[in-house]
């Protein structure tokens, strides 16, 4: 039996930009996902970033995904005052979607190579697949030697095809070649602080929201 997987894209989205949106759109298509849930992180105390409130970051995600019906804003982490761990969000999503629904945690290659720093990271594959976007010409296999031995072992044992994702509810690691746009939220924040243009780096509606609410400008 096959079931179209649900994708999960967590991030600070501080702010959301075309790098995130292209990653999601390509993964939607290449992995045959039925939906992608964008889950902005909350505002953990004692941290420098995110720079703007979870409410503003969620509002910008809502504007950015407005015209793609397969993209959904999920505010469960944004509503929490304390730090949320991805593993707990996945436990909730698994309980809500049932045992057989395939879930795919989506991330860029850089994020995957840091996976061993995540809370209870080894349990993630008991709840979801992991789908990693890597730059064409730079496979993850070539870079996995820089990961910890445990992460390398998981990668080698769990590497799977795209077809596997819809036939199983969790447990696989799939790689998708996705051109990486040279855009980051850090770049956008620094350009705003320097009063430089951010046009074409993120949707115009998001840029408008940023200017309207005076976000990322030094006080
Ligand atoms: P910052 O610059 O503040 O660190 P960011 O732009 O990297 O932020 P995040 O919210 O930290 O954005 O990223 C969420 C997810 O999106 C991560 O899995 C990350 O690998 C991926 N991602 C971010 N930017 C890109 C991009 N340009 N292309 C592909 N994936 C991206």
């Amino acid at each position: 039996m096959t079931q179209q997987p649900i994708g999960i894209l967590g991030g600070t989205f501080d702010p959301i930009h075309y790098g995130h949106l292209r990653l999601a759109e390509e993964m939607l298509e290449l992995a045959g996902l039925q939906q992608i849930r964008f889950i902005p992180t909350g505002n953990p105390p004692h941290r420098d970033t995110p720079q703007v409130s979870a409410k503003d970051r969620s509002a910008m995600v809502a504007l950015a995904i407005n015209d793609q019906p397969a993209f959904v804003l999920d505010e469960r982490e944004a509503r929490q005052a304390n730090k949320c761990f991805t593993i707990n969000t996945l436990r909730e999503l698994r309980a809500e979607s049932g045992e057989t629904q395939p879930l795919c945690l989506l991330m860029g290659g850089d994020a995957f190579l840091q996976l061993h720093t995540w809370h209870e990271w080894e349990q993630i594959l008991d709840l979801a697949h992991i789908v990693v976007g890597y730059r064409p010409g730079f496979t993850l296999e070539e870079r996995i030697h820089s990961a910890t031995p445990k992460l390398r072992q998981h990668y080698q044992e769990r590497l799977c095809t795209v077809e596997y994702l819809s036939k199983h509810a969790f447990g696989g690691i799939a790689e998708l070649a996705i051109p990486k746009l040279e855009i980051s939220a850090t770049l956008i924040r620094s350009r705003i602080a320097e009063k430089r243009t951010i046009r074409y780096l993120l949707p115009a509606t998001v840029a408008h929201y940023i200017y309207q609410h005076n976000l990322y400008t030094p006080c």
Side-chain angles (χ1 to χ4, degrees):
M1 210 186 72
T2 65
Q3 226 175 327
Q4 268 190 299
I6 293 174
I8 299 149
L9 182 61
T12 42
F13 302 122
D14 190 22
I16 189 164
H17 52 70
Y18 281 132
H20 301 127
L21 292 165
R22 283 299 309 164
L23 177 76
E25 183 73 12
E26 293 264 8
M27 285 190 164
L28 185 77
E29 182 179 62
L30 294 174
L33 308 176
Q34 56 168 286
Q35 176 192 89
I36 294 182
R37 304 185 76 83
F38 284 67
I39 310 190
T41 56
N43 270 50
H46 320 302
R47 257 192 62 179
D48 294 342
T49 59
Q51 289 198 354
V52 311
S53 71
K55 188 167 155 276
D56 281 328
R57 289 182 290 108
S58 294
M60 290 188 280
V61 171
L63 289 169
I65 65 176
N66 185 39
D67 59 353
Q68 170 47 291
F71 291 175
V72 174
L73 169 64
D74 185 327
E75 294 189 86
R76 72 184 69 220
E77 292 192 9
R79 283 194 292 262
Q80 300 286 327
N82 295 325
K83 182 160 174 49
C84 295
F85 293 111
T86 300
I87 189 77
N88 293 332
T89 301
L90 288 175
R91 284 183 182 125
E92 281 183 26
L93 287 166
R94 172 56 66 206
E96 288 164 20
S97 57
E99 278 177 25
T100 58
Q101 171 62 53
L103 297 177
C104 293
L105 183 64
L106 314 177
M107 62 184 76
D110 295 342
F112 179 75
L113 291 172
Q114 293 303 313
L115 193 69
H116 61 279
T117 63
W118 295 24
H119 183 63
E120 294 182 43
W121 68 273
E122 288 179 77
Q123 271 73 61
I124 288 176
L125 286 164
D126 296 336
L127 294 161
H129 302 297
I130 297 178
V131 181
V132 188
Y134 67 91
R135 290 164 199 251
F138 293 86
T139 68
L140 208 53
E141 202 177 354
E142 287 164 17
R143 294 181 59 201
I144 199 71
H145 63 269
S146 67
T148 61
K150 263 265 168 65
L151 182 56
R152 213 159 49 226
Q153 188 189 343
H154 271 72
Y155 169 80
Q156 281 154 357
E157 290 174 0
R158 305 298 194 109
L159 199 58
C160 71
T161 60
V162 165
E163 289 71 36
Y164 184 95
L165 301 175
S166 52
K167 290 186 184 141
H168 302 267
F170 58 87
I173 299 176
E175 295 174 323
L176 298 175
I178 296 178
K180 185 171 191 251
L181 300 183
E182 290 304 328
I183 303 174
S184 68
T186 306
L187 171 80
I188 292 170
R189 293 194 300 270
S190 69
R191 290 184 72 97
I192 297 168
E194 292 162 13
K195 298 197 181 339
R196 297 184 63 195
T197 171
I198 55 169
R199 192 192 291 254
Y200 308 131
L201 295 173
L202 72 182
T205 48
V206 177
H208 183 71
Y209 186 97
I210 289 172
Y211 293 129
Q212 200 179 28
H213 294 82
N214 265 322
L215 305 182
Y216 309 112
T217 43
C219 312

